[in-house]
Amino acid sequence: MPDIHIDAKLGADLAAREMLAATFGLAADAPAVVRTGCGREVPLAMTSTMPSSVGCAACRSFAHDEYLRVADQVESLARMPGSVISWSDASAGAARYRELAAQFLS
């Protein structure tokens, strides 16, 4: 059975597509092939953002590192002058991303 990978953009393109569809009722077709965290190009159907589904070890490591990077970015948003994101919201969001990152190590 082939490994399930993680999209190198962590599913951001699909999330943006869903948001546009919900807002405007229109959306472009989802890509048939995506670049993965391990650098391969695979069909979108062979990817997942759920830690329990991703079987590729290189993609799991990539996802761990990327979710930690995103957690740091979320925290930095609260420190920016004029930010509308409170420290408690940013801290809670960052904690969720760190928890998700940890799931990719197990």
Side-chain angles (χ1 to χ4, degrees):
M1 174 151 69
D3 277 336
I4 300 297
H5 300 269
I6 191 162
D7 176 1
K9 295 181 181 177
L10 305 178
D13 286 349
L14 292 178
R17 182 181 175 276
E18 289 174 13
M19 180 185 67
L20 290 171
T23 304
F24 301 110
L26 302 169
D29 292 336
V33 177
V34 296
R35 181 158 304 278
T36 65
C38 65
R40 295 179 57 195
E41 288 189 2
V42 302
L44 179 62
M46 296 299 296
T47 66
S48 177
T49 55
M50 296 179 58
S52 60
S53 298
V54 177
C56 172
C59 282
R60 291 182 71 82
S61 177
F62 168 84
H64 172 262
D65 294 345
E66 283 298 294
Y67 280 118
L68 289 179
R69 185 183 62 77
V70 170
D72 290 343
Q73 285 183 334
V74 168
E75 282 183 336
S76 72
L77 290 174
R79 290 190 291 264
M80 293 177 64
S83 176
V84 296
I85 300 171
S86 71
W87 177 250
S88 62
D89 287 345
S91 184
R96 285 192 292 274
Y97 279 119
R98 287 190 179 97
E99 180 181 310
L100 183 59
Q103 292 175 24
F104 279 99
L105 287 183
S106 56

